[in-house]
């Protein structure tokens, strides 16, 4: 297979991945909006924002670096794994520390736990 055909195929699969993710996220949001009370939906929306930010910070940084390598060695995979584990743990700690502050800011005690 020539390089332009491979590149085109990668673009198609990337587009399918992005569109599928967007459609599923939209569908889940619609379902939550229908099933939950406005107060509960606001709480879920805040949680979804935190999860989305964590996903952007954690997965998009390391995966981009791995994809750009022509030759992938075990050390790269181990470094990515441990780096993501440490970054995830730090993000979890930040969320735990700022949960009471967010709870006070939004005047909703359900955010703290």
């Amino acid at each position: 297979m020539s390089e332009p055909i491979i590149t085109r195929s990668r673009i198609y699969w990337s587009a399918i991945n992005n569109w599928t993710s967007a459609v599923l996220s939209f569908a889940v949001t619609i379902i939550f909006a229908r099933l939950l009370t406005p107060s509960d939906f606001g709480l879920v929306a805040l949680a979804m924002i935190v999860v989305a930010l964590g996903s952007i910070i954690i997965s998009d940084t390391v995966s981009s670096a791995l994809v750009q390598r022509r030759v992938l060695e075990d050390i790269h995979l181990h470094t990515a794994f441990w780096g993501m584990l440490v970054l995830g743990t730090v993000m979890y700690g930040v969320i735990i520390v700022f949960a009471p502050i967010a709870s006070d800011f939004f005047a909703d005690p359900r955010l703290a736990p």
Side-chain angles (χ1 to χ4, degrees):
M1 226 183 237
S2 67
E3 186 65 30
I5 294 173
I6 292 173
T7 302
R8 222 175 305 146
S9 174
R10 290 177 184 162
I11 290 171
Y12 292 145
W13 281 111
S14 179
I16 289 170
N17 180 38
N18 289 339
W19 278 97
T20 303
S21 177
V23 167
L24 288 175
S25 177
F26 183 70
V28 167
T29 302
I30 294 297
I31 291 169
F32 280 159
R34 181 78 176 126
L35 295 176
L36 300 174
T37 65
S39 174
D40 291 339
F41 181 74
L43 186 66
V44 170
L46 286 172
M48 288 169 55
I49 290 170
V50 171
V51 169
L53 287 174
S55 176
I56 290 169
I57 291 171
I58 293 173
S59 67
D60 289 350
T61 54
V62 176
S63 62
S64 296
L66 289 178
V67 169
Q68 292 176 2
R69 291 209 159 275
R70 289 205 181 271
V71 177
L72 206 57
E73 298 175 9
D74 281 343
I75 189 70
H76 300 130
L77 297 175
H78 291 290
T79 303
F81 172 78
W82 289 108
M84 288 178 68
L85 184 69
V86 168
L87 189 57
T89 305
V90 169
M91 291 288 296
Y92 181 72
V94 168
I95 291 169
I96 295 299
V97 167
F98 282 104
I101 297 169
S103 177
D104 291 341
F105 180 77
F106 290 109
D108 192 345
R110 298 177 299 171
L111 288 174

